[in-house]
Amino acid sequence: MSGHDGAVLALSGGIGGAKLALGLSRVLPPERLIVVANTGDDFEHLGLAISPDLDTLMYTLAGLSDPERGWGRREETWTFMAALAALGGETWFQLGDGDLASHVERTHRRAAGETLSHITDDFCRRLGIGAHILPMSDDRVATRVRTPVGWLDFQDYFVRRRCAPEVSELAYDGAAQARPHPGFMAALADAGLRAVIICPSNPYLSVDPILALPGVRAALAACAAPVIAVSPIIGGRAVKGPTAKMMRELGLPVTAAAVAQHYDGLVDLFVVDHSEGEITLPNMRVSKAAILMTTLADREALAKAVLTFADELRAESRT
Ligand code: GDP
């Protein structure tokens, strides 16, 4: 027996990853799901500790997320932003009134010495989330991008400049010194783990910061459970966000196969959309599924498909 028998570990960024994480949380007993969230986007703004991907996951799994935007809370009000603007405050980063409570409470507890993972765990429990959402690390990691105007902090690039500057390089400041969350590493090392799923998140902005933590690549490569990644690229396009633009700027073809190559050596099976042509890759299998998640049913169907692929791989490796 082990602590993670039948558990599924998902690596996720924000919006794309949270869609599949929600599907997984609905087709699994939720306590069997561990979602490791990117915290490379975390930053301090107006004195507040903001963790965008953790919050997107938290609101999504709690049924509180805004269905149109994908980030923030549904039925949000914006009194704070309007009042802030009237006072001449910085308004480039939108903070809804309800969302603000998360940041204020997180900041207050951090200042009192609580870890990010402890706070996240408590928020999740209070919001009725059965799955475990873990920050990739309790230590600070900051994603930055190199552009013609110099190295930019992530939110400056992503929100303030709307991803307009061309990206030539990425850095994950602090990653080499950060400790991956012990729960994350324990799950990877557990022979009872059912699957590791790399969600369809931005490979450079959301997944690479997790992979940059010491020991994570080696632990994934050595992991007994099948490692499956779902493509964020469908038919040569990203569903949302700057993934495709970034791939072009980094000199890569904007294809699902190029994302698969990016995960070479880590992933056993790569899931692409049914609409893709034949893709063969030297070191990994490729399977097809309906990977565009528009409805809740799409999220659940993809979660089921990915778990079926994982169970098939596990059964094979045992014969
Ligand atoms: P962010 O941190 O909020 O930017 O979100 P992620 O990194 O988790 O997700 C961004 C990626 O999700 C983009 O590359 C999108 O192409 C991808 N994405 C969004 N929705 C879907 C979807 O329904 N299916 C798939 N396969 N990818 C999606």
Side-chain angles (χ1 to χ4, degrees):
M1 279 300 284
S2 70
H4 297 94
D5 272 349
V8 171
L9 183 72
L11 310 189
S12 177
I15 295 172
K19 287 183 178 179
L20 184 56
L22 177 62
L24 289 165
S25 78
R26 293 176 59 93
V27 304
L28 283 168
E31 66 282 356
R32 294 265 168 91
L33 177 64
I34 306 165
V35 187
V36 172
N38 168 45
T39 55
D41 302 359
D42 290 18
F43 74 129
E44 196 171 296
H45 181 58
L46 305 174
L48 300 170
I50 300 181
S51 296
D53 288 353
L54 279 174
D55 287 346
T56 296
L57 282 163
M58 191 170 79
Y59 298 149
T60 302
L61 296 194
L64 293 173
S65 63
D66 184 281
E68 304 299 318
R69 287 190 310 265
W71 57 269
R73 297 174 64 120
R74 63 167 72 230
E75 289 146 29
E76 187 62 281
T77 55
W78 302 93
T79 304
F80 170 76
M81 278 323 280
L84 185 66
L87 296 174
E90 280 185 54
T91 54
W92 59 272
F93 195 84
Q94 295 280 305
L95 294 165
D97 299 333
D99 188 31
L100 192 58
S102 306
H103 313 311
V104 169
E105 183 60 13
R106 179 189 294 119
T107 306
H108 159 72
R109 294 200 195 179
R110 293 284 306 267
E114 267 186 71
T115 61
L116 181 60
S117 53
H118 188 265
I119 299 165
T120 305
D121 208 46
D122 189 47
F123 283 1
C124 287
R125 192 176 51 77
R126 288 171 189 274
L127 294 177
I129 298 170
H132 306 281
I133 303 178
L134 301 180
M136 64 186 197
S137 174
D138 276 320
D139 300 324
R140 176 144 178 74
V141 177
T143 298
R144 292 192 311 134
V145 295
R146 185 178 200 149
T147 74
V149 292
W151 281 97
L152 299 176
D153 290 342
F154 176 75
Q155 298 296 346
D156 184 11
Y157 161 77
F158 196 75
V159 180
R160 199 197 312 236
R161 298 175 197 250
R162 296 169 198 274
C163 309
E166 203 172 294
V167 173
S168 56
E169 199 181 338
L170 294 105
Y172 311 105
D173 286 7
Q177 295 79 40
R179 288 154 300 180
H181 191 284
F184 171 25
M185 298 311 270
L188 280 179
D190 198 307
L193 189 68
R194 182 175 174 191
V196 178
I197 298 166
I198 302 182
C199 289
S201 288
N202 186 312
Y204 317 98
L205 295 176
S206 296
V207 181
D208 279 1
I210 306 177
L211 301 180
L213 297 169
V216 169
R217 282 181 171 273
L220 270 175
C223 176
V227 181
I228 299 183
V230 178
S231 177
I233 296 290
I234 303 177
R237 300 171 65 155
V239 180
K240 200 171 187 296
T243 309
K245 176 176 179 285
M246 260 189 169
M247 291 178 83
R248 269 191 296 278
E249 292 166 359
L250 294 170
L252 296 163
V254 184
T255 59
V259 177
Q261 285 297 317
H262 185 74
Y263 295 135
D264 193 32
L266 296 177
V267 164
D268 301 304
L269 186 145
F270 192 71
V271 184
V272 302
D273 194 62
H274 277 305
S275 60
E276 302 282 356
E278 274 321 298
I279 301 177
T280 41
L281 295 161
N283 300 320
M284 84 184 75
R285 299 209 195 174
V286 179
S287 288
K288 289 188 174 177
I291 69 165
L292 180 64
M293 295 171 281
T294 310
T295 64
L296 185 57
D298 296 340
R299 289 156 171 76
E300 292 174 358
L302 181 56
K304 279 189 192 149
V306 169
L307 292 174
T308 303
F309 294 145
D311 293 344
E312 285 167 1
L313 281 179
R314 238 164 104 91
E316 253 179 57
S317 70
R318 284 182 173 165
T319 56

